[in-house]
Amino acid sequence: GEDVEQSLFLSVREGDSSVINCTYTDSSSTYLYWYKQEPGAGLQLLTYIFSNMDMKQDQRLTVLLNKKDKHLSLRIADTQTGDSAIYFCAEGHNNDMRFGAGTRLTVKP
Amino acid sequence: NAGVTQTPKFQVLKTGQSMTLQCAQDMNHNSMYWYRQDPGMGLRLIYYSASEGTTDKGEVPNGYNVSRLNKREFSLRLESAAPSQTSVYFCASSERVGRGINQPQHFGDGTRLSIL
């Protein structure tokens, strides 16, 4: 099965908060990442959190990490139509990075 | 600042043909990677190069070869293309910070490859 799991779809209204969830299996992961992919483009690094942190905030983005449950979430405040994209969760340590299948976020006006 | 540049952006091949996907990075990163992206499956690592002169297999290496030409360039070769290799291919690079720990990876815009 998948090492990193995410739900495939999320739909929100413009102005609402979006929360994208991710679970991972490797407790030795040193970094956990969120990437954004817009249509026809590569993956853009949004933010990442080191495994000894619980939370990281960067403007509209908040990352929460629960190491006990191996659960990572990305909250986007005041979601805009430009936030519509696929969001990938990834875990990494050493040379290995494992990606989830991606969550397609649709923002309705 | 170009970051990670991949060529070509699109390619259509016939079964059995060969081709090389090119990747170059201008961030002086030590580590480089090749992934393939298929619908509903996220990204899967094909090969990586932890440093110039070294390459290692990832999760799905069969049917591919790689060359780390120098620190900047990492190419992926399909010797005899098969329809199952139809995919979007991404190259990435990252800086190694010691004892196997890498900084986040930076991605190119991808090569969309169709094999008929």
Side-chain angles (χ1 to χ4, degrees):
Chain A
E2 293 273 345
D3 293 327
V4 181
E5 293 189 354
Q6 310 175 234
S7 54
L8 294 182
F9 302 98
L10 176 66
S11 180
V12 301
R13 293 219 171 266
E14 191 174 16
D16 288 350
S17 292
S18 307
V19 180
I20 303 171
N21 294 302
C22 169
T23 57
Y24 61 98
T25 56
D26 189 345
S27 58
S28 66
S29 296
T30 50
Y31 288 100
L32 294 131
Y33 307 87
W34 285 104
Y35 284 87
K36 176 183 180 182
Q37 185 181 34
E38 299 184 65
L43 276 69
Q44 172 195 357
L45 179 66
L46 276 181
T47 186
Y48 64 97
I49 188 167
F50 194 55
S51 58
N52 67 353
M53 298 169 64
D54 297 325
M55 186 182 86
K56 181 177 181 181
Q57 187 155 4
D58 183 2
Q59 299 182 331
R60 292 191 297 123
L61 305 179
T62 302
V63 178
L64 295 177
L65 175 60
N66 181 329
K67 283 194 70 175
K68 176 177 171 290
D69 295 336
K70 299 189 182 69
H71 183 267
L72 183 73
S73 67
L74 173 69
R75 179 178 181 270
I76 306 173
D78 187 24
T79 313
Q80 302 298 306
T81 54
D83 294 324
S84 292
I86 301 176
Y87 291 81
F88 290 92
C89 168
E91 60 172 349
H93 65 99
N94 296 331
N95 292 312
D96 195 12
M97 181 178 274
R98 301 292 178 101
F99 288 83
T103 299
R104 183 180 295 276
L105 174 65
T106 302
V107 182
K108 298 178 180 178
Chain B
N1 190 350
V4 179
T5 302
Q6 293 183 235
T7 56
K9 294 190 185 306
F10 303 93
Q11 185 70 49
V12 179
L13 293 177
K14 294 181 180 178
T15 297
Q17 286 186 313
S18 61
M19 82 160 294
T20 300
L21 280 60
Q22 306 287 352
C23 175
Q25 52 94 6
D26 62 4
M27 295 173 283
N28 202 36
H29 286 166
N30 285 309
S31 301
M32 297 185 74
Y33 311 81
W34 276 105
Y35 293 90
R36 60 179 288 173
Q37 183 182 28
D38 301 294
M41 298 188 72
L43 273 75
R44 292 182 292 169
L45 183 65
I46 304 171
Y47 270 93
Y48 67 95
S49 171
S51 60
E52 186 179 354
T54 68
T55 61
D56 286 284
K57 294 179 180 179
E59 184 183 353
V60 289
N62 291 343
Y64 305 95
N65 285 302
V66 290
S67 295
R68 184 73 183 268
L69 303 169
N70 46 56
K71 192 172 185 180
R72 288 188 65 247
E73 298 172 290
F74 188 38
S75 62
L76 177 72
R77 182 160 179 86
L78 286 71
E79 290 291 351
S80 179
S84 61
Q85 293 177 305
T86 293
S87 188
V88 182
Y89 290 85
F90 287 100
C91 177
S93 69
S94 68
E95 186 52 68
R96 177 187 292 273
V97 295
R99 299 184 69 86
I101 297 174
N102 282 319
Q103 288 289 337
Q105 295 179 15
H106 299 261
F107 285 80
D109 286 339
T111 295
R112 281 144 188 84
L113 184 60
S114 293
I115 297 155
L116 307 177

